[in-house]
């Protein structure tokens, strides 16, 4: 494998996906007030990008049904992007009614996952995005793109990097300003991560790519470090390591934001996020959910 060493960046942007990717899988009811508090705690900790919710079918993901109300009630802190996931024009229109200013579309690199997650083929999903992208362009709304299963699929196993690159390129050419590559089931390793960015980076500038790592196999931080070496400087993470994917059985949450921040702080990379405030945001939502904190940094901080 040929890899190109790049100096570590001075600044990294963390995309906080806890309120969406983190909570979407929770079976118990979570009040709008608790979701609002989580988003506000995160922006107060210095996160500049928070994915607040999604405008998907409530039959498919019931936990996200109150997203419009969450958007209505959060503090809209200047300089913070509050985004929502939208799978189709219907979701986009609902997001616009709720005053959302940035959305994300999501496709998969594996056919089986695409069917399970959004009930259509990869090609059909990309077709569905066309009217959404047109509407977003007309209304001056930025659209981020996700590709799932970039380092493995729960139904198909290995996913060729070329297949990921093809889907990522379509999303980019369609107008997504940034493509987040999702290791949905957390099977990726540092070597495979570098090879993936090397392949996808042939068609898309690396400063338009982001890494989205789930931590199922405990490899997420290693994969982030490998991505940094490939010139990637945007990472999705979830406070307290919340989450999982409703359509990827056994997948654990995203890498914990606190753990990523600890890594980046240790490398002298600036994020603008305050670790203790972030830990407290995670501790609070874990109390609400009655679950253990998935961040090792938060657990160490608590017992120190
Ligand atoms: C995409 C659909 C809607 C297709 O679902 P479908 O059933 O094929 O859609 P349809 O167009 O046939 O419509 C069926 C019903 O859904 C409604 N509907 C249609 N669209 C919407 C909408 N936007 N909002 C609300 N309702 C909607 C529509 O109105 C209709 O209602 P009915 O007439 O039966 O009452 C469905 O499969 C869906 O909502 N899937 C969501 C899946 C999801 O949210 N997955 C988790 C997020 S992806 C993820 O976590 C991965 C990521 C991004 O984090 C990265 C990674 O880790 O890999």
């Amino acid at each position: 494998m040929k890899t190109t060493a790049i100096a570590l960046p001075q600044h990294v942007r963390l995309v906080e996906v806890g309120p969406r990717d983190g909570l979407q899988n929770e079976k118990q009811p979570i009040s709008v007030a608790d979701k609002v508090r989580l988003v506000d705690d995160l922006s107060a900790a210095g996160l500049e990008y928070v994915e607040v919710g999604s405008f998907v079918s409530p039959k498919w993901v019931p936990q996200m049904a109150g997203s419009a109300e969450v958007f209505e009630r959060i503090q809209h802190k200047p300089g913070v992007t509050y985004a929502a996931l939208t799978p189709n024009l219907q979701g986009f229109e609902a997001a616009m009614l709720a005053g959302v200013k940035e959305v994300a579309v999501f496709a998969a690199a594996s056919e089986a996952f695409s069917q399970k997650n959004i009930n259509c083929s990869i090609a059909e999903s990309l077709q569905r995005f066309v009217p959404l992208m047109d509407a977003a362009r007309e209304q001056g709304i930025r659209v981020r793109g996700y590709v799932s299963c970039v380092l493995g699929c729960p139904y198909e196993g290995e996913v060729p990097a070329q297949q990921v690159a093809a889907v990522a390129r379509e999303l980019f050419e369609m107008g997504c300003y940034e493509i987040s590559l999702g290791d949905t089931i957390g099977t990726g390793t540092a070597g495979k991560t570098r090879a993936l960015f090397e392949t996808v980076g042939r068609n898309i500038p690396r400063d338009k790519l982001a890494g989205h790592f789930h931590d199922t196999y405990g490899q997420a931080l290693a994969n982030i470090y490998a991505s940094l070496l490939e010139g990637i400087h945007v990472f999705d993470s979830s406070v307290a390591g919340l989450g999982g994917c409703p359509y990827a059985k056994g997948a654990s949450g995203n890498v914990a934001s606190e753990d990523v921040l600890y890594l980046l702080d240790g490398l002298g990379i600036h994020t603008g996020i305050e670790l203790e405030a972030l830990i407290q945001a995670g501790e609070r939502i874990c109390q609400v959910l009655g679950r253990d904190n998935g961040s090792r940094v938060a657990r160490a901080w608590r017992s120190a």
Side-chain angles (χ1 to χ4, degrees):
M1 177 185 65
K2 184 177 162 289
T3 53
T4 317
I6 296 180
L8 294 178
Q10 292 183 331
H11 180 84
V12 155
R13 177 159 57 86
L14 287 192
V15 170
E16 172 59 51
V17 296
R20 194 279 304 169
D21 206 351
L23 298 186
Q24 71 183 8
N25 212 29
E26 291 291 332
K27 298 286 174 282
Q28 58 183 301
I30 307 167
S31 71
V32 168
D34 282 323
K35 292 178 180 173
V36 168
R37 173 70 192 265
L38 174 62
V39 173
D40 289 346
D41 283 352
L42 292 166
S43 61
L47 264 308
E48 289 175 356
Y49 193 116
V50 184
E51 203 171 72
V52 171
S54 57
F55 291 83
V56 298
S57 163
K59 285 183 197 148
W60 285 65
V61 185
Q63 190 59 262
M64 290 290 108
S67 290
E69 208 183 335
V70 178
F71 267 96
E72 196 181 302
R73 289 171 50 181
I74 52 173
Q75 285 169 27
H76 290 266
K77 198 175 154 193
V80 177
T81 300
Y82 297 96
L85 218 58
T86 53
N88 51 19
L89 187 59
Q90 186 175 339
F92 177 81
E93 284 169 350
M96 292 305 100
L97 283 177
V100 177
K101 299 281 187 289
E102 173 155 335
V103 301
V105 293
F106 49 108
S110 120
E111 282 295 348
F113 188 82
S114 184
Q115 289 291 350
K116 297 272 184 197
N117 195 32
I118 48 176
N119 205 23
C120 64
S121 68
I122 298 170
E124 283 163 345
S125 74
L126 296 170
Q127 271 312 110
R128 270 183 196 172
F129 299 151
V130 172
L132 186 163
M133 297 302 297
D134 289 345
R137 206 170 294 113
E138 272 168 32
Q139 296 179 52
I141 299 292
R142 297 206 320 157
V143 184
R144 193 169 191 252
Y146 281 104
V147 184
S148 290
C149 298
V150 301
L151 289 164
C153 168
Y155 312 104
E156 292 180 10
E158 290 278 325
V159 175
Q162 290 295 352
Q163 211 164 295
V164 178
V167 178
R169 187 179 182 160
E170 290 227 34
L171 289 175
F172 188 64
E173 286 179 349
M174 219 177 250
C176 292
Y177 74 90
E178 182 172 279
I179 310 297
S180 172
L181 300 185
D183 183 11
T184 313
I185 53 170
T187 46
T189 57
K192 284 185 178 173
T193 298
R194 292 197 75 170
L196 177 71
F197 279 116
E198 209 275 315
T199 303
V200 180
R202 285 181 209 149
N203 292 321
I204 301 176
R206 290 178 192 218
D207 63 357
K208 305 290 181 200
L209 295 173
H212 177 111
F213 297 102
H214 286 254
D215 205 23
T216 321
Y217 285 76
Q219 301 300 302
L221 284 183
N223 294 342
I224 287 176
Y225 190 72
S227 309
L228 286 169
L229 296 177
E230 287 298 320
I232 306 304
H233 56 236
V234 182
F235 298 100
D236 306 349
S237 62
S238 176
V239 69
L242 297 175
C245 177
Y247 302 103
K249 216 174 164 208
S252 77
N254 281 95
V255 62
S257 306
E258 300 88 321
D259 298 1
V260 181
L261 184 58
Y262 189 82
L263 169 76
L264 297 174
D265 283 351
L267 290 167
I269 297 174
H270 178 256
T271 59
I273 304 161
E274 214 246 294
L275 182 59
E276 197 168 323
L278 182 60
I279 290 173
Q280 278 162 357
E283 289 282 273
R284 190 182 176 284
I285 189 66
C286 286
Q287 270 170 18
V288 169
L289 299 174
R291 60 135 80 195
D292 197 16
N293 196 318
S295 158
R296 299 184 70 141
V297 168
R299 292 205 299 267
W301 176 84
R302 195 198 300 144
S303 60

